[in-house]
Amino acid sequence: MLILGIETSCDETAVALVEDGQRILSSLVAFQLDIHRPFGGVVPELASRAHLRALIPLLERAIREAGVEREAVDGVAFTRGPGLIGALLVGTSLGKALAYSWGVPLLGINHLKAHLYAPCLEGATFEFPLAGLIVSGGHTLLVEARSWDAARILGSTRDDAAGEAFDKVAGLLGIGFPGGPAIEAVARGGDPGKFQFPRGMIGSGDLDFSFSGVKTAVRYLLDRLKADGLPVPTADIAAGFQAAVIDVLAAKFKVAVEETGARTVVLGGGVARNELFRRRVRAMFPSSRYRVLIASADLCSDNAAMVAGLAGRILKRGREDDWSIDADPNLPWGDGLL
Ligand code: KG4
Ligand code: ZN
């Protein structure tokens, strides 16, 4: 079963072809970094316009690179939310138009569930109970799954998402956009113990997160250094900030895994590209007791293979959407992994 996937929830335009929910035939991503960099963040309208320009050439290339005829496509999947509404509408419109004109099933996919599914594109299989942590630019979400059809949210962020905090702190430090990779690179030369930043809500007793405090602490430190005319130790601040965020994510993930009794542990989303974070999670859940599933870096950040892959699994179960399906910027989690 061959699914064409379309992803346009934020600032990456992506198209992929995936067979049977797991074999990637092609997966292409067009980045918009140069468009948004001057603004230090994603400008929603510019993102939508860039999706409009990029999608059709990307679609043509994805089909060509997959080496298939478009008649071989059994279904079309698109990200319906959560995300930026204008950006989502571009992918939704193309998805609907293609499914209608090709006469194949249409599937609207939850972006966060697709992130969680990503390791399945590299041969992983889910066993239950499962605990998942999705950490991206817009979300920080802990989930528990008892089966494909029973998954609930255990905790989420009360303010900034972890990736958002990386982006904002990189902005404060003036080291580039997007912030995550910039902080990780700069932090390599820094001392994570030089500055102790707050570990927001680490002992809150629940599984929610807060990352606005650590961001504000960085801002106050920078203000103080500036007022005193002192140089800014960028690498030490980046390393201290990164350590604080990873500490909180790791601590809450550990509690979630223990509370759910999960033996399968899944990490997904753009922040899961972070090498230090990946190593921390692997070290925390030894392979003698746990199956730790983390997709390779390019499948952790936004892509369409995860959308097409999850859709393949859904279609196999016989579920498809009707023409009334709409984009939803605040798409709720629902009650399963599909
Ligand atoms: O999942 P994603 O590609 O898009 C969303 O759904 O938001 O995640 C993007 C986020 C951005 O905030 C970016 O700064 C962060 O992931 N990110 C990282 C790293 N690479 C990307 N954060 C920390 N370390 C990284 N290496
Ligand atoms: Zn994402």
Side-chain angles (χ1 to χ4, degrees), residues 7 9-12 81-83 110-116 133-142 156-157 159-168 178-181 209 211 241 245 249 267-274 277 299-303 306 333:
E7 157 64 43
S9 66
C10 191
D11 61 336
E12 269 102 27
N110 183 310
H111 180 80
L112 299 172
K113 294 180 182 183
H115 269 307
L116 207 61
L133 175 59
I134 304 156
V135 204
S136 70
H139 294 84
T140 310
L141 213 63
L142 271 168
S156 60
T157 184
D159 40 56
D160 292 351
E164 190 180 353
F166 269 94
D167 295 334
K168 286 179 176 169
F209 301 90
F211 295 105
F241 162 78
V245 172
L249 291 170
L267 180 64
V271 180
R273 293 182 69 102
N274 187 289
F277 186 31
L299 287 175
C300 284
S301 41
D302 288 350
N303 66 87
M306 64 185 191
W333 175 266

Side-chain angles (χ1 to χ4, degrees), residues 169-187:
V169 166
L172 292 173
L173 293 172
I175 55 172
F177 168 83
I183 296 229
E184 179 171 25
V186 170

Side-chain angles (χ1 to χ4, degrees), residues 44-328:
E45 187 185 327
L46 296 183
S48 309
R49 291 176 186 276
H51 288 315
L52 266 181
R53 287 193 299 272
L55 265 177
I56 298 292
L58 215 56
L59 170 71
E60 286 184 324
R61 247 185 72 208
I63 293 177
R64 204 167 52 239
E65 286 190 15
V68 295
E69 298 297 321
R70 75 134 190 86
E71 287 75 15
V73 174
D74 298 302
V76 174
F78 65 93
T79 296
R80 67 176 293 227
L84 302 170
I85 184 59
L88 289 167
L89 284 171
V90 179
T92 301
S93 303
L94 179 64
K96 283 190 161 190
L98 290 178
Y100 182 73
S101 60
W102 293 351
V104 296
L106 173 71
L107 293 111
I109 298 297
N110 183 310
H111 180 80
L112 299 172
K113 294 180 182 183
H115 269 307
L116 207 61
Y117 185 82
C120 301
L121 295 163
E122 296 177 316
T125 49
F126 284 177
E127 282 169 22
F128 301 99
L130 168 156
L133 175 59
I134 304 156
V135 204
S136 70
H139 294 84
T140 310
L141 213 63
L142 271 168
V143 299
E144 170 196 38
R146 297 270 146 198
S147 71
W148 283 99
D149 300 306
R152 66 187 181 102
I153 293 176
L154 300 172
S156 60
T157 184
R158 301 226 177 134
D159 40 56
D160 292 351
E164 190 180 353
F166 269 94
D167 295 334
K168 286 179 176 169
V169 166
L172 292 173
L173 293 172
I175 55 172
F177 168 83
I183 296 229
E184 179 171 25
V186 170
R188 278 197 197 104
D191 171 7
K194 179 88 179 284
F195 299 102
Q196 278 297 314
F197 292 113
R199 270 71 174 155
M201 291 183 72
I202 199 163
S204 62
D206 59 22
L207 292 170
D208 283 342
F209 301 90
S210 166
F211 295 105
S212 67
V214 61
K215 172 196 68 189
T216 308
V218 172
R219 178 179 301 136
Y220 285 162
L221 173 65
L222 290 172
D223 288 348
R224 220 167 44 239
L225 291 170
K226 200 172 158 197
D228 295 344
L230 294 169
V232 175
T234 307
D236 295 335
I237 297 174
F241 162 78
Q242 180 175 249
V245 172
I246 292 177
D247 270 0
V248 179
L249 291 170
K252 299 256 170 170
F253 200 10
K254 190 159 196 286
V255 175
V257 168
E258 281 164 3
E259 281 184 2
T260 54
R263 287 286 169 270
T264 302
V265 172
V266 189
L267 180 64
V271 180
R273 293 182 69 102
N274 187 289
E275 200 44 55
L276 208 66
F277 186 31
R278 296 165 77 91
R279 267 192 268 135
R280 176 77 163 272
V281 169
R282 290 199 185 283
M284 203 162 51
F285 304 115
S287 59
S288 52
R289 283 190 71 198
Y290 299 97
R291 298 170 67 238
V292 179
L293 309 181
I294 312 174
S296 54
D298 286 349
L299 287 175
C300 284
S301 41
D302 288 350
N303 66 87
M306 64 185 191
V307 175
L310 181 57
R313 196 163 177 115
I314 293 172
L315 192 58
K316 210 162 134 197
R317 288 232 185 157
R319 195 194 97 196
E320 60 179 277
D321 292 308
D322 62 42
W323 299 119
S324 68
I325 191 166
D326 198 358
D328 184 348

